[in-house]
């Protein structure tokens, strides 16, 4: 997702779109790339990683690795010690997958 510069979505706006709770906002960065696969991370300031938890996987286990690689924005559904990531932005939601769908729907409208 790459919104045009007129409609640039900021991380802080995700709270309103998703009814999530911002646990930490170190810097209000733009949202330009939505990531669900840690192996294919796009390392840009506007990248947001969605830690999706499933029956056989848990995206939360890749947060440290992604943070070390330069990703600074995360949508999480399991509480983590976000203070270990001082430059990170963290949005806590009930379901990362549902949140991803809400953001996509918002972008289409």
């Amino acid at each position: 997702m790459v919104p045009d510069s007129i409609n640039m979505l900021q991380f802080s706006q995700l709270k309103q779109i998703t009814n999530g709770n911002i646990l930490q906002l170190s810097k209000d960065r733009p949202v330009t790339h939505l990531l669900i696969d840690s192996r294919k991370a796009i390392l840009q300031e506007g990248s947001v990683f969605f830690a999706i938890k499933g029956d056989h996987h848990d995206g939360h286990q890749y947060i440290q690795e992604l943070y070390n690689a330069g990703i600074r924005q995360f949508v999480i559904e399991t509480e983590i010690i976000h203070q270990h990531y001082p430059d990170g932005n963290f949005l806590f939601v009930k379901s990362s997958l549902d949140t991803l769908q809400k953001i996509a729907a918002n972008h289409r409208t």
Side-chain angles (χ1 to χ4, degrees), residues 10 12 14 21 23 28-29 32 34 40 42 45 47 51 55-56 62 65 72 74 77 81 90 99 103 105-106 109:
Q10 295 294 119
S12 63
L14 296 181
N21 182 28
L23 298 177
D28 201 10
R29 296 175 175 91
T32 59
L34 307 180
K40 299 178 183 176
I42 298 170
E45 182 179 19
S47 297
D55 292 336
H56 303 289
Y62 302 106
E65 176 184 331
R72 293 294 182 261
F74 301 91
E77 59 188 56
I81 304 172
F90 288 89
T99 298
I103 293 168
N106 179 276
T109 61

Side-chain angles (χ1 to χ4, degrees), residues 8-18 21-34 45-50 72-76 88-93 99 103:
M8 184 67 67
L9 182 65
Q10 295 294 119
F11 190 84
S12 63
Q13 294 173 290
L14 296 181
K15 178 179 178 170
Q16 181 180 353
I17 294 168
T18 66
N21 182 28
I22 293 181
L23 298 177
Q24 180 171 294
L25 184 66
S26 68
K27 177 183 175 187
D28 201 10
R29 296 175 175 91
V31 174
T32 59
H33 292 85
L34 307 180
E45 182 179 19
S47 297
V48 179
F49 178 72
F50 289 76
R72 293 294 182 261
Q73 303 189 107
F74 301 91
V75 174
I76 59 174
N89 294 341
F90 288 89
L91 178 71
F92 182 74
V93 297
T99 298
I103 293 168

